[in-house]
Amino acid sequence: MSQETRTLSPFTASEPAEPSERAEPESAPETAVEPGAEVSVSGPEAEAELPEDRFLDRERSWLAFNERVLELAEDPTTPLLERTHFLSIFASNLDEFFMVRVAGLKRRIATGVATRSVTGQAPREVLGTIWTRAREQMTRHAACYQQTVAPELAERGIHLLRWRDLTEQEQIQLFSLFRKKIFPVLTPLAVDPAHPFPYISGLSLNLAVVVRNPASGHRHFARVKVPPLLSRFLEASPQRYVPVEDVIAAHLEELFRGMEVLAHHVFRVTRNEDLEVEEDDAENLLQALEKELLRRRFGPPVRLEVEESIDDEVLDLLIRELKIRREEVFCLPGPLDLTGLKSIAALDRPELKYPKFVAGTHRDLAEVESASAPDIFAALRTRDVLLHHPYDSFSTSVQAFLEQAAADPDVLAIKQTLYRTSGDSPIVDALIDAAESGKQVLVLVEIKARFDEHANIKWARKLEEAGCHVVYGLVGLKTHCKLSLVVRQEGEDLRRYAHVGTGNYHPKTARFYEDIGLLTADPAVGADLSDLFNRLSGYSRRDNYRRLLVAPRSLRDGLVTRVRREIEHHRAGRPAFVRIKVNSIVDETVIDALYRASQAGVPVDIWVRGICAVRPGVPGLSENIRVRSVLGRFLEHSRVYTFGNGGENEVWLGSADLMHRNLDRRIEVLVRVADPAHRSSITRLLATGTADSTASWHLGPDGAWTRHAVDAEGKPLRNVQETLIESRRKRRVTAA
């Protein structure tokens, strides 16, 4: 079987087969397309003004994304415990949205620096839209849990109960648990002239308790925090669970001896938890960030969640003391904080989940005739390897690549970026092993990775103690690119091996994040990464690369230039198209280039998971643009850019989404895919993901997303993730 046949995607093209492709020259810098090929758009497309209302609102688009997550929880064809998991994901997503996006918008309004959005809305109008949409979604989310998921779980023997629903024996058992493990860590805090209103930490569950002194008849308010290290749902008996706050509430008399407990109400506060570090003024970024993390604990509140049964008097007290506005209060049926449903979704009930899938070793790395681990360096000297996680195992590819490098006595140096990684990271262990064995190890740790700051500070110090050279990238820029470079002595020469990916070096998330990566020994890529690492760790200012586009200097311009080139190909009658797969697309410059391409007749397909500011299907503007979104058992996370290029497809993959932060405030990298078979495989993958025969959500010109899961006859459309899983299973059977 030929190499090209072996490396093709399992999909058959939904359009005519693409023409044969030839290798492209490797020496030309990637800031230009090719010598003499840089074009400028001419004709009416360059002159015509684009309409002012051509962008969709970013915040509403994000809320629409989370609504798609909610639709999966509401979908009766989704396995029941997976629906439970999607309820948890929805709640967690919304928490982060309020902590970052809403908090940031409120801060800009308060400081007077907020400006109108690209849709023309005033900042307070945007905020009002968020309150309305979020309230609708949270009410719908609670109803899905209360009226559908919880009852269906009960039918399958998993009971999510309240205290009043427990048997007497279960209540007795939980009282014993309360006395032994819960009561000792509770701290009731009174509120009176001698006791100021306590600080309420962000996302904590709390009980607002009203008690009365029987001697004086006076009423008092107290707050009891639910300890965050306790399980969210306690098992009263096998497969019967109750929220931990119910157990505490049932035994408040134990905390307030001699007082009458009149009422209790659960509430939860969301605070501003975005970071602001003035790097230019910080002598030590690590210390500055640690101080900022401490400050973040005391950020102002942006949302108050309360159970709908709360007394008006208690609610008024909370609003007054928390200094929060009425429109920021969300009254919901209990229990609050359904992020805790992830523990229920993790129950060992495989019949209520997606069928189990275990990723196999990529066929170009597999040792069919031997039980020994593959020699990844030997494989890469033969060919590039295109990885598609989680369908291809991360542990036997990227992780094995770094572990082999750490153990190989001929490896002289390893250079690595780390944005997020797991708590017990084998990647970090391999880097430490390499340093301790005398290899030169450079690690760029992005300690400003949102919500992973504490973990990354810990890893940075651990790596430093082991002898690794740890740097934090460039001032003012996050290092978001996913890169590994290994330098190995081979005879008289040095050879460089590299990995460029779309996802983090995180073995756990690699099992359910969809990502694409390239393992290669190509000299051009190795030389590019050497230059880039020198820029990140030293004072090199090189901006031109052989097979890379690098933000913030060349990435946006490089993509826009290639979109414009498709217009010229289309006018000349050559094959032309643009297909993009990203998590988010909001950058106005890139979007305008796509609008110009659409106006010129170039078909543009966008496969986006989350935010999308493109308004597709508008006559005269974007009738040639289609936008699709796929959500499912795996989190679609890869970023890929493909261009028809006159019949010789050009494909780029890497870390960059099309957002201002990615293109202007981060170090992002895209690598050009050279192997013709790999380019064809990725091109067909994107064609399949955006095809009308694939189950997905379609974006309309009004910003509304419509789910397309069945065809005109009611038959399920192709599920792209399940199709990929099945192809890997068949491939393994064939190999065996």
Side-chain angles (χ1 to χ4, degrees), residues 445-651:
V445 179
E446 182 45 76
I447 56 174
K448 302 185 298 299
R450 183 177 287 151
F451 303 123
D452 273 345
E453 298 93 350
H454 282 295
N456 286 4
I457 288 172
K458 184 181 79 170
W459 291 125
R461 289 195 166 132
K462 185 175 180 180
L463 288 161
E464 285 177 333
E465 291 167 0
C468 300
H469 302 292
V470 179
V471 295
Y472 307 115
L474 303 177
V475 171
L477 299 173
K478 279 188 179 182
T479 304
H480 188 251
C481 47
K482 325 299 183 184
L483 309 173
S484 295
L485 179 66
V486 172
V487 182
R488 187 171 188 266
Q489 184 77 48
E490 297 183 0
E492 297 292 323
D493 301 319
L494 293 180
R495 189 189 295 266
R496 288 174 285 206
Y497 299 86
H499 173 262
V500 181
T502 68
N504 300 306
Y505 292 96
H506 198 306
K508 291 184 178 177
T509 59
R511 293 196 286 268
F512 55 90
Y513 275 40
E514 179 272 342
D515 275 301
I516 296 175
L518 182 70
L519 282 169
T520 181
D522 183 277
V525 176
D528 277 349
L529 292 190
S530 290
D531 290 338
L532 180 57
F533 274 109
N534 288 341
R535 179 186 173 194
L536 294 175
S537 64
Y539 292 107
S540 170
R541 295 189 58 79
R542 174 161 188 162
D543 292 320
N544 294 337
Y545 298 92
R546 302 156 187 84
R547 276 181 58 188
L548 302 183
L549 291 174
V550 181
R553 293 298 181 91
S554 64
L555 205 154
R556 177 190 283 112
D557 288 346
L559 291 177
V560 169
T561 296
R562 284 160 176 81
V563 172
R564 289 173 176 170
R565 184 184 59 187
E566 295 305 302
I567 296 175
E568 297 301 312
H569 283 309
H570 179 75
R571 288 174 176 164
R574 296 185 293 268
F577 63 81
V578 178
R579 292 189 189 124
I580 294 173
K581 183 178 187 295
V582 288
N583 296 323
S584 300
I585 173 170
V586 298
D587 185 77
E588 293 87 359
T589 301
V590 176
I591 293 174
D592 280 350
L594 296 175
Y595 285 148
R596 299 290 189 192
S598 172
Q599 289 176 327
V602 177
V604 177
D605 285 311
I606 301 172
W607 179 351
V608 63
R609 186 186 85 230
I611 305 168
C612 181
V614 178
R615 192 185 292 274
V618 177
L621 174 70
S622 57
E623 62 262 56
N624 291 308
I625 297 179
R626 300 187 307 166
V627 179
R628 304 288 186 258
S629 183
V630 173
L631 280 74
R633 68 186 294 174
F634 301 135
L635 182 83
E636 294 290 331
H637 191 250
S638 62
R639 295 92 165 184
V640 183
Y641 303 85
T642 69
F643 306 92
N645 194 29
E648 298 185 20
N649 293 0
E650 188 172 323
V651 176

Side-chain angles (χ1 to χ4, degrees), residues 3-263:
Q3 180 181 336
E4 179 166 343
T5 302
R6 285 190 302 99
T7 52
L8 287 180
S9 163
F11 298 111
T12 55
S14 56
E15 60 272 1
E18 296 157 6
S20 61
E21 299 166 288
R22 57 176 169 82
E24 299 175 48
E26 305 296 345
S27 57
E30 291 299 351
T31 48
V33 180
E34 285 178 357
E38 184 122 2
V39 298
S40 59
V41 179
S42 58
E45 290 82 1
E47 311 301 331
E49 287 288 332
L50 296 174
E52 291 186 1
D53 63 347
R54 62 191 182 277
F55 302 114
L56 296 175
D57 180 73
R58 170 188 175 136
E59 316 304 345
R60 292 188 65 175
S61 183
W62 187 95
L63 288 168
F65 152 66
N66 214 29
E67 185 172 4
R68 298 197 293 280
V69 176
L70 182 56
E71 285 185 43
L72 289 174
E74 295 170 329
D75 184 355
T77 66
T78 303
L80 188 54
L81 282 180
E82 305 295 351
R83 296 172 67 187
T84 309
H85 190 214
F86 284 122
L87 286 174
S88 170
I89 293 172
F90 171 92
S92 179
N93 285 348
L94 202 59
D95 286 347
E96 183 172 336
F97 178 72
F98 273 91
M99 288 189 293
V100 177
R101 296 300 306 173
V102 176
L105 182 57
K106 284 190 64 179
R107 184 174 62 242
R108 292 194 298 275
I109 291 173
T111 56
V113 299
T115 58
R116 287 185 176 271
S117 70
V118 293
T119 62
Q121 280 191 301
R124 293 193 182 279
E125 289 181 286
V126 174
L127 205 53
T129 300
I130 291 173
W131 299 137
T132 301
R133 292 289 300 276
R135 195 177 308 279
E136 293 170 354
Q137 289 185 4
M138 291 172 69
T139 301
R140 184 171 150 189
H141 176 251
C144 180
Y145 169 78
Q146 296 277 355
Q147 301 170 19
T148 308
V149 172
E152 290 187 22
L153 284 170
E155 292 175 5
R156 305 303 296 267
I158 301 172
H159 299 271
L160 302 178
L161 308 167
R162 304 310 296 261
W163 180 261
R164 62 182 176 273
D165 303 318
L166 300 177
T167 66
E168 182 178 355
Q169 183 60 37
E170 288 171 333
Q171 292 181 351
I172 293 172
Q173 289 177 348
L174 286 175
F175 175 67
S176 176
L177 175 69
F178 173 83
R179 294 288 298 181
K180 292 178 181 178
K181 296 187 176 182
I182 301 177
F183 178 79
V185 298
L186 295 178
T187 304
L189 296 174
V191 177
D192 57 32
H195 300 86
F197 190 85
Y199 174 76
I200 309 297
S201 53
L203 301 187
S204 63
L205 271 178
N206 302 271
L207 290 171
V209 184
V210 180
V211 298
R212 180 168 57 202
N213 186 326
S216 65
H218 291 160
R219 291 157 57 97
H220 302 277
F221 175 87
R223 173 260 190 157
V224 177
K225 180 179 178 179
V226 177
L229 297 181
L230 296 175
S231 298
R232 180 70 186 85
F233 290 91
L234 301 177
E235 192 170 26
S237 60
Q239 304 284 287
R240 289 170 61 85
Y241 301 89
V242 64
V244 61
E245 66 270 23
D246 279 20
V247 178
I248 296 172
H251 302 100
L252 288 172
E253 292 83 357
E254 301 291 320
L255 292 170
F256 300 96
R257 292 283 187 174
M259 303 289 282
E260 296 179 46
V261 178
L262 300 180

Side-chain angles (χ1 to χ4, degrees), residues 256-460:
F256 300 96
R257 292 283 187 174
M259 303 289 282
E260 296 179 46
V261 178
L262 300 180
H264 64 269
H265 307 283
V266 179
F267 69 97
R268 184 173 183 256
V269 175
T270 309
R271 293 186 176 275
N272 177 351
E273 296 204 20
D274 204 8
L275 287 170
E276 295 179 274
V277 180
E278 295 296 335
E279 297 178 55
D280 292 330
D281 301 328
E283 294 183 5
N284 188 311
L285 178 58
L286 208 60
Q287 293 177 358
L289 186 62
E290 287 179 313
K291 291 179 182 178
E292 180 64 12
L293 287 171
L294 185 63
R295 183 209 62 77
R296 186 168 75 177
R297 294 177 50 212
F298 301 94
V302 295
R303 179 180 60 164
L304 172 62
E305 297 170 87
V306 299
E307 289 192 323
E308 57 190 7
S309 58
I310 192 169
D311 291 340
D312 289 341
E313 183 180 356
V314 173
L315 180 57
D316 289 341
L317 172 68
L318 292 175
I319 291 173
R320 183 172 65 252
E321 294 293 343
L322 290 170
K323 297 180 176 58
I324 202 164
R325 300 166 64 92
R326 280 279 175 179
E327 58 264 32
E328 298 170 324
V329 178
F330 295 79
C331 297
L332 301 163
L336 303 180
D337 187 16
L338 293 182
T339 61
L341 286 174
K342 62 186 177 186
S343 63
I344 302 301
L347 291 175
D348 188 17
R349 293 288 298 274
E351 75 278 12
L352 301 180
K353 300 182 180 182
Y354 290 122
K356 189 174 182 179
F357 170 68
V358 178
T361 301
H362 189 286
R363 57 188 168 192
D364 289 343
L365 300 176
E367 287 287 330
V368 178
E369 302 298 331
S370 171
S372 63
D375 183 342
I376 294 181
F377 296 146
L380 296 184
R381 287 193 292 271
T382 303
R383 65 175 69 87
D384 289 354
V385 175
L386 183 69
L387 302 165
H388 196 184
H389 310 299
Y391 313 104
D392 298 318
S393 169
F394 180 88
S395 63
T396 60
S397 58
V398 179
Q399 180 181 322
F401 168 64
L402 291 167
E403 290 173 338
Q404 182 177 339
D408 189 334
D410 292 327
V411 168
L412 305 180
I414 302 174
K415 300 185 180 185
Q416 175 78 39
T417 62
L418 284 180
Y419 190 74
R420 303 184 198 274
T421 189
S422 59
D424 52 348
S425 173
I427 303 294
V428 172
D429 291 342
L431 296 171
I432 289 173
D433 290 344
E436 290 178 344
S437 67
K439 295 175 173 60
Q440 180 172 311
V441 179
L442 171 71
V443 187
L444 282 103
V445 179
E446 182 45 76
I447 56 174
K448 302 185 298 299
R450 183 177 287 151
F451 303 123
D452 273 345
E453 298 93 350
H454 282 295
N456 286 4
I457 288 172
K458 184 181 79 170
W459 291 125

